[in-house]
Amino acid sequence: MKMEYDYRIITGDLLEWYKTEKRTLPWRSTPLPYYVWISEIMLQQTRVEAVKDYFARFTLEYPTIKDLAETEENRLMKLWEGLGYYQRARNLLKAAKIIAAEYGGEIPADYEKIKSLPGIGSYTAGAISSIAFGMYEPAVDGNVLRVTKRLAGSYDDITKQKVKKDLEAALREVMTEKKLSGDFNQALMELGAMVCIPNGKPLCEKCPVKNHCTAKEKNIQMELPVKPGKKDRKIENKTILILEYQSRYGLNQRAEKGLLAGLWEYPNLEGKLPIEKVEKILEEQGIRDYEMELLGEARHIFSHIEWHMLGYRIKIQEWEKNLEKDSARNTLVWADKHELEAVYALPAAFQAYKTKLG
Ligand code: SF4
């Protein structure tokens, strides 16, 4: 196929640079297929620094894919707490069960079989195949798209699937011809993370391939890559109620489908409600003997939604006797601080209020 840019000309300089400049990362020192898989899934949408601890805890608790396949989903969610995008963890569990049942607990050395597993797309399949199995498969993520489009000086819309597929085909051709695998993919990603950075000016003077970069030559680095305007996030206002009774905190479990499915949360109401409104709602629920403290505002940003929250801490002295049978209240579980830490997976969205409990 005709290439928009001849990636063969950068491979030597890029690999030399990677050899000396690459960061030491736990999953790089032992590139087992399992470790590559877990780290790549964790790294989607999450910074490397944040992933290091999660990766260590995860692989300690689940040293093998079989161990992961046998875990309880609740326990896995607790380990994943704070990483966000919880569907990733559910897919890990589904895929682990398939690997345990169909492949004897080992990831198969087959790109198509890897790509067919839940939660694994062409990027992750390429990363596992090339890094762990030495195959000539590209791993095109946002970093790689940015670097390559700048090198080529290309105004292609990188949100289009065809653009990604064409780039994968072009890189696969070069990798096959030059027998390049994991290090080449990781070098491109590393360049995108460390030098040809996404926000702010790329550090072109430090770039090992600057002499082959069309964007630098034409001084159009900041115009690339082209990513047509993402839709604005939807804003949802919420009032968060931290109900406290005898040093325990009321929690609800979220619905099985949708945002943060199945995780635990503090009870909350739509809108940022003033104190009088909250008092009225508590009264309607029969909660009359309490102290209320305003905890202030907090925000949490998801990919398509922003929560703008207002929190209240409500220390309940007494429940009304007839509330024992109240169905709304009976949906709450009451967790002490230890259980909040060890048992219930509370999404990072509520972290700002959890830390205020002291
Ligand atoms: Fe990116 Fe600059 Fe290197 Fe080009 S020269 S690849 S724009 S860092």
Side-chain angles (χ1 to χ4, degrees), residues 165-197:
K165 280 204 170 338
D166 287 351
L167 178 63
E168 285 172 344
L171 292 176
R172 187 175 289 115
E173 205 174 302
V174 172
M175 292 173 76
T176 307
E177 182 188 320
K178 300 204 106 190
K179 301 199 175 0
L180 302 171
S181 53
D183 277 1
F184 176 68
N185 285 334
Q186 292 187 94
L188 275 178
M189 291 182 223
E190 194 81 344
L191 191 68
M194 307 300 291
V195 180
C196 198
I197 51 179

Side-chain angles (χ1 to χ4, degrees), residues 147 150-151 191 195-196 202-204 207 209-210 213 215-216 221:
V147 171
R150 284 177 173 167
L151 284 171
L191 191 68
V195 180
C196 198
L203 314 173
C204 298
C207 179
V209 293
K210 59 176 183 262
C213 179
K216 181 173 184 297
Q221 301 94 312

